[in-house]
Amino acid sequence: MTDLKTLNSQFGIANHLLFETDPGGLTLVKIDNDFASASIALQGGHVMTWTPHNAEAVIWLSPAAKLAPGKSIRGGVPICWPWFGPHESQTDFPAHGFARTTPWDVVSTTQRDDGATQLVLKLATANFPAQQWPHPTTVQYVVTVGDTLEIELVSQNTGPGAITLGEALHTYFNVSDVREISVDGLDGCHYLDKVDDFTQKQQSGPVTFSSEVDRVYVNTSTDCIIRDPAMSRQIRIAKSGSNSTVVWNPWIEKANKMGDLGDNGYLKMVCVESANADENVVTLQPGEQHTLSVRYSVEQI
Ligand code: TA6
């Protein structure tokens, strides 16, 4: 792991981007520009916060998140890669893959002419747990912080055989009260209902929340909108290179079992995850590249 002094001398940007160490021992990137502030942990390439100036936080970070080496962070934008959910055959492999608990390396930092700040990371192949993923693959992550938050997850098959990737930007969004919001954009879509034995169902109208919701919507590339009247805003989730959308709120019982959502934390968050999961996993032939990208924006209502 590169030390802070070297990181700041090589990649720091005066007044806009600096590297710090969190008390839990993680190296954090702190970004602040004319539009917004953000924080990213190098472990997991984990965007933890994004807060446009004169707005409430858009990305939710659990007040009880445990920042520690090798532990996934509750909240923010966990990167699920190279599989989503439990591994298809190895029960001892980590849920949602290893990318979110592995150190990422800094490739570049840029203060753009439009005032946005860009951070490029890569997951060094040397950091792959070989027994979990023995396939030569490169993966880069481009985070652009401005009046929108743009993220690109770029995977390339650099090996001799085809590979199949499951992936998601497992984003936690900050809401007033999950019981008072709705998620638009999935009307008519088919989904696997994980709280009803993965039964395939069809969405009718907006998604609302009055109990645990854990749904994998398949074959959908549309934008989603989180409508939050109590905060007089809606959050638009635009995506490309993603054919699945996962919507999740653990509700009371599961939240209490998880232990890192904070008191009634489940009320303050909703996950709307841009993904390629289940029947939408991505197969890359040798040399092929795939990009999953999102753009988050906030609109007053
Ligand atoms: O995306 C929803 C989900 O797959 C849920 O089933 C729940 O497990 C959630 O992810 C959180 O998973 P994690 O491993 O971060 O606790």
Side-chain angles (χ1 to χ4, degrees), residues 24 26 51 102 114-115 121 137 155 158 164 185-186 201 208 215 250-251 267-268 270 274 294:
L26 299 187
T51 306
T102 302
D114 63 4
L121 302 174
T137 317
S155 306
T158 53
T164 297
L186 297 165
K201 301 177 180 177
T208 55
R215 301 175 184 175
W251 213 247
L267 290 174
K268 300 297 292 175
V270 65
S274 302
V294 294

Short mmCIF file of all heavy atoms in Angstrom, two decimals, residues 24 26 51 102 114-115 121 137 155 158 164 185-186 201 208 215 250-251 267-268 270 274 294:
data_model
loop_
_atom_site.label_atom_id
_atom_site.label_comp_id
_atom_site.label_asym_id
_atom_site.label_seq_id
_atom_site.Cartn_x
_atom_site.Cartn_y
_atom_site.Cartn_z
N GLY A 24 -9.97 3.82 11.17
CA GLY A 24 -10.03 2.35 11.03
C GLY A 24 -8.84 1.82 10.24
O GLY A 24 -8.69 0.62 10.05
N LEU A 26 -8.11 2.74 7.02
CA LEU A 26 -8.29 2.75 5.56
C LEU A 26 -7.77 4.06 4.98
O LEU A 26 -7.86 5.11 5.61
CB LEU A 26 -9.77 2.58 5.21
CG LEU A 26 -10.45 1.29 5.68
CD1 LEU A 26 -11.86 1.20 5.10
CD2 LEU A 26 -9.64 0.05 5.32
N THR A 51 -22.04 14.50 -1.69
CA THR A 51 -22.97 15.51 -1.22
C THR A 51 -22.81 16.79 -2.03
O THR A 51 -21.81 17.50 -1.87
CB THR A 51 -22.74 15.81 0.28
OG1 THR A 51 -22.78 14.58 1.02
CG2 THR A 51 -23.79 16.77 0.81
N THR A 102 -11.08 -5.51 -1.44
CA THR A 102 -9.69 -5.63 -1.90
C THR A 102 -9.15 -4.23 -2.17
O THR A 102 -9.90 -3.37 -2.64
CB THR A 102 -9.65 -6.46 -3.21
OG1 THR A 102 -10.23 -7.75 -2.95
CG2 THR A 102 -8.23 -6.64 -3.71
N ASP A 114 -14.25 21.78 -16.45
CA ASP A 114 -15.66 22.06 -16.12
C ASP A 114 -15.87 22.09 -14.61
O ASP A 114 -17.02 22.20 -14.14
CB ASP A 114 -16.59 21.03 -16.78
CG ASP A 114 -16.36 19.60 -16.27
OD1 ASP A 114 -15.52 19.42 -15.34
OD2 ASP A 114 -17.01 18.67 -16.78
N GLY A 115 -14.79 21.93 -13.83
CA GLY A 115 -14.91 22.03 -12.37
C GLY A 115 -15.12 20.71 -11.66
O GLY A 115 -15.06 20.65 -10.43
N LEU A 121 -9.17 4.49 -10.71
CA LEU A 121 -8.57 3.42 -9.91
C LEU A 121 -8.49 2.15 -10.74
O LEU A 121 -9.21 2.00 -11.74
CB LEU A 121 -9.44 3.15 -8.67
CG LEU A 121 -9.72 4.32 -7.72
CD1 LEU A 121 -10.70 3.89 -6.64
CD2 LEU A 121 -8.43 4.84 -7.11
N THR A 137 -7.82 -10.70 -16.06
CA THR A 137 -8.85 -9.68 -16.29
C THR A 137 -8.31 -8.36 -15.76
O THR A 137 -7.67 -8.34 -14.71
CB THR A 137 -10.13 -10.01 -15.49
OG1 THR A 137 -10.41 -11.40 -15.60
CG2 THR A 137 -11.31 -9.18 -15.95
N SER A 155 -14.38 -3.49 -17.40
CA SER A 155 -13.74 -4.82 -17.28
C SER A 155 -13.23 -5.24 -18.64
O SER A 155 -13.91 -5.04 -19.66
CB SER A 155 -14.75 -5.86 -16.79
OG SER A 155 -15.36 -5.44 -15.59
N THR A 158 -8.43 -10.24 -20.53
CA THR A 158 -7.08 -10.25 -21.12
C THR A 158 -6.52 -11.68 -21.19
O THR A 158 -5.33 -11.89 -21.39
CB THR A 158 -6.12 -9.39 -20.27
OG1 THR A 158 -6.21 -9.84 -18.90
CG2 THR A 158 -6.53 -7.91 -20.32
N THR A 164 -17.28 -14.98 -17.68
CA THR A 164 -18.64 -14.48 -17.42
C THR A 164 -18.65 -13.70 -16.12
O THR A 164 -18.22 -14.21 -15.07
CB THR A 164 -19.64 -15.65 -17.36
OG1 THR A 164 -19.66 -16.29 -18.65
CG2 THR A 164 -21.03 -15.14 -17.02
N GLY A 185 -39.71 3.78 -12.86
CA GLY A 185 -38.85 3.36 -13.97
C GLY A 185 -38.88 1.86 -14.22
O GLY A 185 -38.24 1.37 -15.17
N LEU A 186 -39.58 1.12 -13.35
CA LEU A 186 -39.55 -0.34 -13.46
C LEU A 186 -40.94 -0.92 -13.76
O LEU A 186 -41.12 -2.15 -13.75
CB LEU A 186 -38.98 -0.95 -12.18
CG LEU A 186 -37.52 -0.55 -11.90
CD1 LEU A 186 -37.12 -0.87 -10.47
CD2 LEU A 186 -36.58 -1.24 -12.89
N LYS A 201 -41.93 -12.33 -10.97
CA LYS A 201 -43.14 -11.52 -10.92
C LYS A 201 -43.00 -10.34 -11.89
O LYS A 201 -41.93 -10.17 -12.51
CB LYS A 201 -43.38 -11.00 -9.50
CG LYS A 201 -43.52 -12.11 -8.45
CD LYS A 201 -43.69 -11.56 -7.05
CE LYS A 201 -43.82 -12.70 -6.03
NZ LYS A 201 -43.92 -12.17 -4.63
N THR A 208 -42.91 0.66 -3.99
CA THR A 208 -43.04 1.33 -2.68
C THR A 208 -42.64 0.33 -1.59
O THR A 208 -42.45 -0.86 -1.86
CB THR A 208 -44.50 1.80 -2.48
OG1 THR A 208 -45.37 0.66 -2.66
CG2 THR A 208 -44.86 2.89 -3.48
N ARG A 215 -35.38 -7.32 -4.79
CA ARG A 215 -35.85 -7.71 -6.11
C ARG A 215 -34.76 -7.49 -7.15
O ARG A 215 -34.13 -6.44 -7.18
CB ARG A 215 -37.09 -6.89 -6.52
CG ARG A 215 -38.25 -7.05 -5.55
CD ARG A 215 -39.41 -6.14 -5.90
NE ARG A 215 -40.47 -6.23 -4.91
CZ ARG A 215 -41.57 -5.48 -4.92
NH1 ARG A 215 -41.74 -4.56 -5.90
NH2 ARG A 215 -42.49 -5.60 -3.99
N PRO A 250 -33.77 -3.69 3.63
CA PRO A 250 -33.81 -4.87 4.51
C PRO A 250 -35.00 -4.90 5.48
O PRO A 250 -35.34 -5.96 6.00
CB PRO A 250 -32.50 -4.79 5.28
CG PRO A 250 -32.18 -3.33 5.30
CD PRO A 250 -32.68 -2.78 4.01
N TRP A 251 -35.59 -3.71 5.71
CA TRP A 251 -36.66 -3.54 6.69
C TRP A 251 -36.16 -3.90 8.11
O TRP A 251 -34.96 -4.12 8.31
CB TRP A 251 -37.91 -4.32 6.30
CG TRP A 251 -39.18 -3.62 6.75
CD1 TRP A 251 -40.05 -4.05 7.69
CD2 TRP A 251 -39.68 -2.38 6.29
NE1 TRP A 251 -41.08 -3.15 7.84
CE2 TRP A 251 -40.88 -2.11 6.99
CE3 TRP A 251 -39.25 -1.44 5.34
CZ2 TRP A 251 -41.64 -0.96 6.78
CZ3 TRP A 251 -39.99 -0.30 5.12
CH2 TRP A 251 -41.19 -0.07 5.83
N LEU A 267 -34.69 2.98 7.63
CA LEU A 267 -35.69 3.96 7.18
C LEU A 267 -35.07 5.05 6.31
O LEU A 267 -35.77 5.70 5.54
CB LEU A 267 -36.36 4.60 8.40
CG LEU A 267 -37.30 3.71 9.21
CD1 LEU A 267 -37.77 4.44 10.47
CD2 LEU A 267 -38.50 3.26 8.37
N LYS A 268 -33.75 5.22 6.42
CA LYS A 268 -33.09 6.37 5.77
C LYS A 268 -32.42 6.00 4.47
O LYS A 268 -31.74 6.84 3.87
CB LYS A 268 -32.04 6.96 6.74
CG LYS A 268 -32.58 7.44 8.06
CD LYS A 268 -33.56 8.59 7.87
CE LYS A 268 -32.86 9.83 7.35
NZ LYS A 268 -33.82 10.91 7.05
N VAL A 270 -32.35 3.52 0.65
CA VAL A 270 -32.88 2.53 -0.30
C VAL A 270 -31.74 2.22 -1.28
O VAL A 270 -31.00 3.13 -1.68
CB VAL A 270 -34.12 3.05 -1.05
CG1 VAL A 270 -33.82 4.23 -1.96
CG2 VAL A 270 -34.74 1.91 -1.87
N SER A 274 -27.50 -0.60 -10.13
CA SER A 274 -27.35 -0.83 -11.58
C SER A 274 -26.43 -2.03 -11.75
O SER A 274 -25.29 -2.02 -11.26
CB SER A 274 -26.79 0.42 -12.25
OG SER A 274 -27.66 1.52 -11.99
N VAL A 294 -22.96 4.66 -14.57
CA VAL A 294 -24.14 5.33 -14.00
C VAL A 294 -23.86 6.82 -13.91
O VAL A 294 -22.70 7.25 -13.87
CB VAL A 294 -24.47 4.80 -12.59
CG1 VAL A 294 -24.90 3.34 -12.63
CG2 VAL A 294 -23.32 5.02 -11.62
#
